[in-house]
Structures are given as structure tokens and as C-alpha cells.
Amino acid sequence: MRFLSVFLPRLATDRLLRRRRGVAPEAFALYARVKGAERLTAVDARAQKRGLAPGMAVADARARCPALALAEANPKADAALVTGLADWGRRFTPLAAPDPPDGLLLDVTGAAHLFGGEAALLGDIESRLRALGFTARAAIAPGPALARALARFSDTRLVAAQARQEELDRLAASFPIDALGLEAEALAGMRRAGLRDIGDLLERPRAPLAARFGAQALTRLDALTCRIRDPITPRFEAPAFIAERRFPDGLTRQEDLAATLTRLAADLCPMLERAGVGARRLEAVFYRVDGAVKRIAAGTSRPLRDPARLAALLAERLSAVAEEGLDTGYGFDVLQLAATEVESAAAPQTAFVAPPRGGGSDEDLGDLLDRLGARLGLRRVLRLHPEAAHLPEFAVAAVPAAFGAPLPHSEKCAESPMRPLRLFERPEPIEAIALFPDGPPLKFRWRRVLREIVAFEGPERIAAPWWGDAPQQFTRDYFHAQDKNGQLFWLFREGLYGRETDAPRWFVHGLS
């Protein structure tokens, strides 16, 4: 295992100074109110040269450096910046994690050779962070705790993978006990006991140390000397299927980004095919030259591993994002495409005869759903699904089309009564005239227009549900009716005359 730690000693001041390039003050510091007094929390390099340090009272700092520029500390912004830098670090490895309050941890096992080796990777990361306006020190070691200590407390930047335990102990012995990362109270207790560095701990018996300082101290000591495995918790789980392209010059044109996504899809699909799966969710990550990270994601209605279909889906999503505004800045130099969710997919059965031309297929419908989902969101593309209810307004439900296959024709209600093409969500009351109280309608007024019926079919009687806590409802008698203008209506009379009510009401429930 190989871990890379990045230490950003001036993260808080660098965050603000990056916005003031060209107009940097003579000295700069952040302050916060601590126990009723304003004290410095971070200083830049120039302020440090003038003898300023965190913890100093603001009044004393101004007396020592009258030109000192001050800003209020913002720990939340610092934490957000660390998280953003962890996302930036994913250009080197998928396993990148923030190391608050001022660092990053990367699992670079098997990844360093892609950047010319571990030494070149360290130089690359430091130079890129320096170009972004950060002071950074990085180190690589067999364990994250050791790499973190090297970046903060040592000039050694690289520890060989085959280093023996004696060499690791000797290296760690020179670190101060702060390298353990324990709480301040525990460290103060060690100092009171005369322990100053890790070597003091390594020389003493473990049992008394555990009894006095707790098992946590020994666990941290073992992690620091790589005696136990101490994995990191990456910000995002590493996708099993990922393809990547890098460009010396950043890409700024949408056409170039779409073409690159097409090539990435072609690289990704063979991996999916070898694993016997198809992509259900894709994520494309764009790493901008200035450190910004952009993401676009797209879902599919069924497992896909066809490069052309994936490319079309990503192009659709990219166009939608570009319409909203895709800030390319100085360009994107790294593009990654990952299948973040996959599902088993059997190899497609090829036919011996060509499919008929012009006929729609399930694949065509799936492509349409995917393209609509890329624009609108898959959950917003709905299909009607039959429900086990006999009241017409509850007999169908709109469900996301991508998360449930349509029922086979044999399972549909082939013998169900005919329903109108358009069913109103709520029946609309009308004024109707009939020869008999329980007879078919002859005329009715709907939306201020009087309609004269020339033909009808019915009734179809639907009783109200008697179960549950629903309020009392009346029986409905439905009629398909045609007026003299040829318009078709679906009407119903609510309530059986003389048994349920003496004044049945009429409604329009749909149009054909």
C-alpha cells in the first residue's frame, strides 16, 4: 500500500490571498474572538517573518506590525476548501480524502507509475498546488499516518515500499509526539511525563503506556510506524469501471468535450462487457486547469453497454448542462467517465433476419426514455401503470418509466371496459336533463355550452368501495355519449335514484 499526504500549512490565509493576486499586503493574518479577546488564528509567511504567530492578541500584532492586514477567520469556508481540494485530488487517484483541517490523503497504490513514478507525482502535485496559490508539502509512505507525519514534521518526502520495520521505527522516532494526532489533553499528559518524541514512546514498555495514556495512544503509535493497516476513508467510493483521458492543453469547446466523452464511452464499454454488466448510472467528471471540478451524471432506463447509445446519452446531457452555462475557464485537462451503478446484462440475442424497417422496438423506446431523462431527469419521465382499483380515477398511476418495465400485454386487463382517451383527474359537475331520473341523459350543459346527445352507450355501473375509512360515496352509472357535433363524452350519474339519493348529480369524467 502507498499513501500520499498533502499538508497545506497556510490554507486559511492562502484561501483569501488567492483572490488578491497582485495586491498582496505586506503581512496578512486571520483573527477570531476567543474568550472575549481577538486573537490571531493564522498568519501568512510575511507575517510570520515579522514575528507574528497564531494565538497572539490582535492588539499586540498591530503594535508589532502596523501594516498588518486582517480578516475574520471562517472555519466553514476552510473546511469546504479542503473538501474541494479532495475532489481536485481525484485526478490522480479515485481514492482521495480530505484530511481536515489542512490536508489531503490519497491512496496512490498502483497509480504513481501513471505520472512518471512517485517522486514525479510528488513534484507534480506540489507544483500544481503552488500554481493554484497554495503552500503545500507532500510525502509518500507505506501508511497514511506515516505519510501525514512526514509531510508535517520531516524533510523526508518518500519512504521506500520495501523499507524494513527497523527503518520505519528509526524514521518515526524523530517525530514529536504531536505526530500521533491525539487530543491536546493526552499530549499534555505525555509532556508532563517527560515524553517529547516518538522515540521516547518506542523505547518504553507498551503495557504501562496503555495503562497511563489509553489504548488509543498505542493504536496511533502502531499506525504511525506502519505496524497496523490504517486505511483512509475516501470522499467517493472508487468506481469499478472508469475510463480517463488527459490533455496537455485544456479543452474548452463543447464539440471537443463531446468527442472525448464518445471515446471514453468506447473505452468503458469493453470493461462492462467483460464483467457481464451494463451501466445504469454514468458520471463524467471534468477537471479544470485552475482546479475547479465539474460533474455531469446521467441515468439509463436499462443496463447499457453500447458505446453509441452511451455517447448519445452523454452528449444530450452535456448539451443540457451547456445551455445552463458550463464555465470552461482555461479548459479541462482531465476527463473521466465512470459507471457508478451497474446491473447484470446478458449478451443480446442476434437475429438471423433483419428487423423490419419503420417498426418501433423496445430499444427505440428505451433510447427515447434515456434522452428525455438526460434532459428532464429520469424520475420526471412517467408512464401509466394499471392499479388494482375499480374507480377509474384510481385505476392507473403515473410512475417513473425508467424504474419499472411495462406490463406484458397478457397481464393487462384485456377484457376491461373501454375508457376515454383523456380522463379528468377530478370529475367536473354538469347540468343534465333525462327523461327519467334513472335514465340516460338527453342534454347537458358543460363549461357554459349546452350539448345535445344523439347517441349513447351504457350504463356501466361502478359501486363505491365499502372498505376503509373513505367517506360515504354513491354508486356511479357511466355513459359513453356523443353530441350532435360528433364529440364523445364519458358521463356518469352519481347516486341511485330512490335508494341512495332523491337528487342524483351528473359529471363529465373524460373525453374520447
Side-chain angles (χ1 to χ4, degrees), residues 159-464:
V159 178
Q162 61 274 17
R164 294 174 300 175
Q165 188 61 54
E166 295 79 10
E167 296 173 317
L168 298 178
D169 289 349
R170 191 162 49 250
L171 180 63
S174 60
F175 297 155
I177 57 175
D178 300 87
L180 294 172
L182 294 172
E183 298 293 335
E185 185 178 352
L187 293 177
M190 289 184 178
R191 291 191 180 94
R192 285 195 296 272
L195 303 174
R196 294 289 182 267
D197 52 41
I198 302 301
D200 294 338
L201 297 175
L202 292 174
E203 292 173 354
R204 283 168 171 72
R206 294 172 63 88
L209 287 176
R212 183 165 185 179
F213 303 110
Q216 181 68 11
L218 290 185
T219 301
R220 295 289 181 85
L221 181 63
D222 290 342
L224 184 63
T225 53
C226 301
R227 282 184 167 83
I228 60 173
R229 176 171 292 187
D230 185 23
I232 66 174
T233 305
R235 177 164 156 73
F236 296 102
E237 186 177 354
F241 307 96
I242 186 170
E244 178 182 294
R245 292 286 176 110
R246 294 175 178 269
F247 303 91
D249 300 322
L251 303 180
T252 57
R253 299 194 314 157
Q254 183 181 340
E255 296 81 2
D256 295 334
L257 295 175
T260 303
L261 289 178
T262 300
R263 291 193 288 271
L264 289 174
D267 296 341
L268 187 67
C269 286
M271 305 180 201
L272 299 174
E273 187 172 1
R274 283 194 293 272
V277 298
R280 288 301 307 268
R281 185 170 182 79
L282 298 166
E283 183 185 64
V285 186
F286 303 79
Y287 294 90
R288 218 167 59 186
V289 175
D290 62 355
V293 181
K294 303 288 183 182
R295 287 186 171 81
I296 64 172
T300 65
S301 60
R302 74 281 196 206
L304 276 184
R305 58 174 181 241
D306 182 352
R309 285 192 165 93
L310 291 185
L313 183 61
L314 292 168
E316 193 76 32
R317 187 73 189 111
L318 180 63
S319 298
V321 173
E323 290 176 3
E324 298 171 359
L326 179 63
D327 184 8
T328 59
Y330 293 105
F332 299 102
D333 60 343
V334 180
L335 272 68
Q336 293 177 345
L337 177 64
T340 55
E341 294 179 19
V342 298
E343 194 173 293
S344 298
Q349 176 67 49
T350 56
F352 290 103
V353 296
R357 290 185 176 181
S361 64
D362 292 342
E363 294 293 326
D364 296 332
L365 178 60
D367 291 343
L368 175 62
L369 293 178
D370 291 340
R371 294 188 63 183
L372 291 173
R375 282 277 175 174
L376 308 173
L378 274 180
R379 292 190 176 278
R380 295 180 179 175
V381 183
L382 306 177
R383 67 156 49 102
L384 295 179
H385 189 275
E387 297 288 318
H390 62 283
L391 287 181
E393 58 266 40
F394 302 124
V396 293
V399 299
F403 303 105
L407 289 178
H409 181 74
S410 58
E411 296 184 19
K412 296 179 181 177
C413 301
E415 302 297 332
S416 61
M418 184 176 64
R419 291 292 180 256
L421 295 178
R422 181 186 175 190
L423 186 71
F424 296 158
E425 186 176 357
R426 296 178 184 276
E428 298 185 9
I430 59 175
E431 299 172 5
I433 300 174
L435 280 180
F436 309 100
D438 56 352
L442 298 178
K443 296 179 182 179
F444 68 93
R445 188 182 299 278
W446 177 58
R447 296 183 180 180
R448 302 181 181 179
V449 178
L450 184 63
R451 315 274 179 172
E452 185 176 346
I453 295 176
V454 296
F456 71 89
E457 181 180 352
E460 174 193 351
R461 178 160 294 178
I462 299 178

Side-chain angles (χ1 to χ4, degrees), residues 21-273:
R21 286 185 176 181
V23 289
E26 293 185 14
F28 181 65
L30 302 180
Y31 73 95
R33 182 169 290 276
V34 181
K35 296 182 179 178
E38 291 182 342
R39 295 187 177 279
L40 302 185
T41 60
V43 298
D44 72 345
R46 296 184 181 189
Q48 187 176 18
K49 287 181 180 178
R50 285 168 169 76
L52 307 187
M56 181 179 291
V58 169
D60 296 340
R62 282 196 181 281
R64 183 172 297 186
C65 181
L68 176 66
L70 285 168
E72 190 170 3
N74 189 344
K76 289 184 178 178
D78 295 340
L81 179 58
V82 171
T83 302
L85 287 173
D87 289 350
W88 170 85
R90 293 188 73 206
R91 65 170 54 219
F92 302 102
T93 170
L95 300 174
D99 184 20
D102 51 12
L104 310 174
L105 278 172
L106 312 179
D107 185 345
V108 295
T109 307
H113 69 281
L114 300 174
F115 304 92
E118 293 181 341
L121 177 59
L122 287 173
D124 188 15
I125 288 179
E126 288 181 344
S127 62
R128 285 177 180 271
L129 286 171
R130 196 177 306 117
L132 294 176
F134 293 101
T135 302
R137 287 205 302 268
I140 294 181
L146 180 57
R148 191 175 190 277
L150 287 173
R152 285 163 172 77
F153 303 105
S154 174
D155 294 330
T156 302
R157 303 173 64 215
L158 187 58
V159 178
Q162 61 274 17
R164 294 174 300 175
Q165 188 61 54
E166 295 79 10
E167 296 173 317
L168 298 178
D169 289 349
R170 191 162 49 250
L171 180 63
S174 60
F175 297 155
I177 57 175
D178 300 87
L180 294 172
L182 294 172
E183 298 293 335
E185 185 178 352
L187 293 177
M190 289 184 178
R191 291 191 180 94
R192 285 195 296 272
L195 303 174
R196 294 289 182 267
D197 52 41
I198 302 301
D200 294 338
L201 297 175
L202 292 174
E203 292 173 354
R204 283 168 171 72
R206 294 172 63 88
L209 287 176
R212 183 165 185 179
F213 303 110
Q216 181 68 11
L218 290 185
T219 301
R220 295 289 181 85
L221 181 63
D222 290 342
L224 184 63
T225 53
C226 301
R227 282 184 167 83
I228 60 173
R229 176 171 292 187
D230 185 23
I232 66 174
T233 305
R235 177 164 156 73
F236 296 102
E237 186 177 354
F241 307 96
I242 186 170
E244 178 182 294
R245 292 286 176 110
R246 294 175 178 269
F247 303 91
D249 300 322
L251 303 180
T252 57
R253 299 194 314 157
Q254 183 181 340
E255 296 81 2
D256 295 334
L257 295 175
T260 303
L261 289 178
T262 300
R263 291 193 288 271
L264 289 174
D267 296 341
L268 187 67
C269 286
M271 305 180 201
L272 299 174
E273 187 172 1

